Amino acid sequence: MFDILEADIVVLQETKIQRKDLVDDMVLVPGWDCYWSLPKHKKGYSGVVIYTRQSVCAPIRAEDGITGTLCPPNSAKSFAEGPEDMQIGGYPTKAQLEASRVDATTLDSEGRCVILEFPAFVLFGVYSPATRDETRDNFRLGFLDVLDARIRNLASLGKRVVLTGDFNVSREELDTANAEAAMRTNGYTVDEYMSTPARRMFNQLLEGGKVIGERDQGRASAVLWDICRGFHPERKGMFTCWEQKVNARPGNYGSRIDYVLSSLDMKTWFSDSNIQEGLMGSDHCPVYATIKDQVHIDGGNIHILDLINPHGMFLNGQRKREYSTKDMLPMSGRLIPEFDGRRNIKDMFARKPLPDFQSATVALQRTQISYGEHAESDDRTCGPIYQADAVEAKCLTKGGGVESAASATNKKRTHAGASAQKPPKRSKLGVVSLSPLPGTGKGQQNLKGFFTAATVLQPDG
């Protein structure tokens, strides 16, 4: 999957697993670290994970949840109560939490957010609740309320934010094929449609977001930029999700509910952003954003590798020391007791490539992978109930086919640490080879089976 996405940071949502379901292929991915937010009570529900390519980037802090009330592994103190040098900061105030419709512990109990901090920015991987029935309205709006507060608090501290995920809300009429039908069904005017609580809240975060009437208290200004829409301001049909039950994808009758957003002062950092509607395997498609090698910050240009790794690991884009276990954060999946100190069997036989750090374009990808059906909905597509069998990643969403209208899918980017040619793959008796058959093209052609073990063939006789 990671070869298909060609990204250095991959955010997956709706993993629909619990800790007991984690296996080596999910955690001990060669060359990658991972950070999980898993549902605390419900089985087969929600879940978020962020993967980071060790040869390119390494976060300096990591947290589970949006409120700071959960505890890091092996700690009795919450993230917000821990040592200051380990805090990401921007935690919702007591007043902000009291204004929410749901208490903080409940909001963070469903595994809906992972937060990583790099020196350059704070990255959110989010799976926002969808509209299902009135019993979930308070939870959904409470989650968005506190998320909005956390982002604005971080901005007030001078920290940049990159927000990625499935927000289960389309930004405006341009972002859904269902807008006119939804307004007609509910008897809404355009202003009423734009003023539905989740959509209004979301648009107040975004530069250029349509807000009817006066802005809400505490939301006087926009703080984020819609990167993909910024590169394609007038593009119609730029949808990321389609209703599977009615086979809506071939006719592109869908909605854009998956986003990669950034702080306003990061606008010049990105060289490209798009959807990858040709990548199949889910009811969602990937969304990506690519960061330039050199970014403008504090009056000068700095290599991005210097800004997405701990201090001293890179200088002017050149590696000064190797990534090691000392760089792992307590939230790292590799430090979960069941996996700590172990290696994936593939690692033991892999030839380590010679690093090439001359150029490393960092791509954020958000991807969704299917595990089964769920009935969370807002205005994803044509019906009042949207069935999604997905997991998101990307800055991406679940997807499968290799071809995409986006040029990034057709361009092979040079990753730091990927200059050496991989050794040829060998087949063993009784194991299906992963090498492509003649005429089938290179590599895996979709994301289905990403966490499925290889089929074992029984020898004849």
Side-chain angles (χ1 to χ4, degrees), residues 162-164 225-228 258-262 287-289 364 395:
V162 174
L163 177 61
T164 74
W225 179 51
D226 185 348
I227 305 173
C228 195
D258 307 296
Y259 303 87
V260 183
L261 315 172
S262 76
V287 182
Y288 72 86
L364 301 173
C395 284

Side-chain angles (χ1 to χ4, degrees), residues 182-215:
M183 285 187 279
R184 186 169 55 249
T185 299
N186 293 288
Y188 288 161
T189 64
V190 173
D191 284 359
E192 290 171 334
Y193 176 79
M194 292 301 303
S195 298
T196 53
R199 185 171 291 107
R200 176 179 173 83
M201 201 180 303
F202 185 56
N203 271 288
Q204 289 182 90
L205 267 177
L206 303 178
E207 182 181 63
K210 293 183 180 179
V211 180
I212 308 301
E214 295 184 4
R215 300 178 70 92

Side-chain angles (χ1 to χ4, degrees), residues 49-191:
V49 59
I50 299 180
Y51 288 91
T52 57
R53 190 188 297 270
Q54 295 169 343
S55 64
V56 176
C57 57
I60 56 175
R61 299 180 185 90
E63 292 184 4
D64 180 2
I66 57 175
T67 67
T69 58
L70 298 180
C71 296
N74 305 315
S75 174
K77 291 186 176 181
S78 69
F79 289 107
E81 296 171 335
E84 285 192 18
D85 62 341
M86 292 302 294
Q87 294 181 12
I88 291 178
Y91 304 106
T93 64
K94 182 178 179 181
Q96 288 171 330
L97 290 174
E98 289 177 347
S100 173
R101 299 158 175 83
V102 182
D103 68 273
T105 304
T106 301
L107 285 177
D108 281 339
S109 68
E110 295 188 359
R112 291 186 175 273
C113 182
V114 173
I115 307 175
L116 301 184
E117 182 172 10
F118 301 88
F121 54 80
V122 177
L123 171 66
F124 285 72
V126 172
Y127 176 49
S128 177
T131 299
R132 188 168 56 192
D133 55 54
E134 292 181 358
T135 64
R136 292 285 288 175
D137 285 352
N138 284 344
F139 185 91
R140 184 187 192 209
L141 297 177
F143 184 91
L144 292 173
D145 251 329
V146 174
L147 178 64
D148 177 275
R150 183 78 189 269
I151 291 169
R152 292 180 183 277
N153 291 351
L154 285 168
S156 68
L157 294 175
K159 293 193 175 185
R160 301 174 191 84
V161 172
V162 174
L163 177 61
T164 74
D166 176 355
F167 294 95
N168 273 305
V169 60
S170 57
R171 178 174 168 178
E172 55 185 270
E173 307 100 295
L174 182 63
D175 295 303
T176 178
N178 192 42
E180 187 175 331
M183 285 187 279
R184 186 169 55 249
T185 299
N186 293 288
Y188 288 161
T189 64
V190 173
D191 284 359

Side-chain angles (χ1 to χ4, degrees), residues 402-425:
V402 202
E403 293 302 322
S404 166
S407 60
T409 318
N410 301 318
K411 295 179 181 177
K412 294 291 182 181
R413 297 186 300 102
T414 301
H415 292 292
S419 61
Q421 186 175 358
K422 295 182 180 179
K425 297 179 180 176

Side-chain angles (χ1 to χ4, degrees), residues 177-407:
N178 192 42
E180 187 175 331
M183 285 187 279
R184 186 169 55 249
T185 299
N186 293 288
Y188 288 161
T189 64
V190 173
D191 284 359
E192 290 171 334
Y193 176 79
M194 292 301 303
S195 298
T196 53
R199 185 171 291 107
R200 176 179 173 83
M201 201 180 303
F202 185 56
N203 271 288
Q204 289 182 90
L205 267 177
L206 303 178
E207 182 181 63
K210 293 183 180 179
V211 180
I212 308 301
E214 295 184 4
R215 300 178 70 92
D216 298 344
Q217 184 178 359
R219 300 182 178 122
S221 60
V223 293
L224 298 178
W225 179 51
D226 185 348
I227 305 173
C228 195
R229 181 56 75 191
F231 277 89
H232 311 278
E234 305 298 331
R235 180 176 168 187
K236 296 180 180 180
M238 190 169 65
F239 304 141
T240 63
C241 184
W242 301 265
E243 172 61 78
Q244 288 185 315
K245 284 190 172 181
V246 296
N247 195 27
R249 191 164 187 168
N252 196 28
Y253 195 79
S255 295
R256 186 170 77 104
I257 60 175
D258 307 296
Y259 303 87
V260 183
L261 315 172
S262 76
S263 292
L264 302 180
D265 62 352
M266 294 177 67
K267 282 185 178 182
T268 61
W269 289 28
F270 296 91
S271 60
D272 187 28
S273 181
N274 210 331
I275 65 171
Q276 293 177 301
E277 66 271 34
L279 193 58
M280 308 301 290
S282 167
D283 54 345
H284 289 248
C285 79
V287 182
Y288 72 86
T290 305
I291 301 179
K292 300 174 183 177
D293 285 350
Q294 298 281 337
V295 298
H296 189 76
I297 184 173
D298 297 333
N301 290 330
I302 300 180
H303 200 287
I304 189 61
L305 292 180
D306 297 5
L307 299 173
I308 56 173
N309 287 282
H311 179 72
M313 186 173 285
F314 279 84
L315 180 63
N316 298 324
Q318 301 295 315
R319 184 176 285 279
K320 296 302 179 181
R321 68 174 180 84
E322 292 298 320
Y323 180 90
S324 71
T325 55
K326 294 181 180 180
D327 296 302
M328 289 186 185
L329 301 175
M331 273 273 295
S332 169
R334 289 178 174 266
L335 296 182
I336 295 174
E338 300 93 302
F339 303 96
D340 188 14
R342 294 177 50 226
R343 299 173 64 193
N344 189 307
I345 190 69
K346 296 176 184 177
D347 274 342
M348 300 172 64
F349 299 100
R351 181 184 301 172
K352 187 175 181 180
L354 296 175
D356 173 14
F357 303 111
Q358 299 300 318
S359 175
T361 302
V362 178
L364 301 173
Q365 290 262 4
R366 170 178 183 290
T367 300
Q368 284 196 293
I369 301 169
S370 175
Y371 286 93
E373 290 190 350
H374 65 89
E376 293 204 13
S377 149
D378 178 5
D379 44 14
R380 295 189 173 202
T381 46
C382 57
I385 296 182
Y386 176 79
Q387 298 294 329
D389 47 351
V391 178
E392 293 183 54
K394 231 177 182 162
C395 284
L396 241 165
T397 319
K398 160 187 182 173
V402 202
E403 293 302 322
S404 166
S407 60

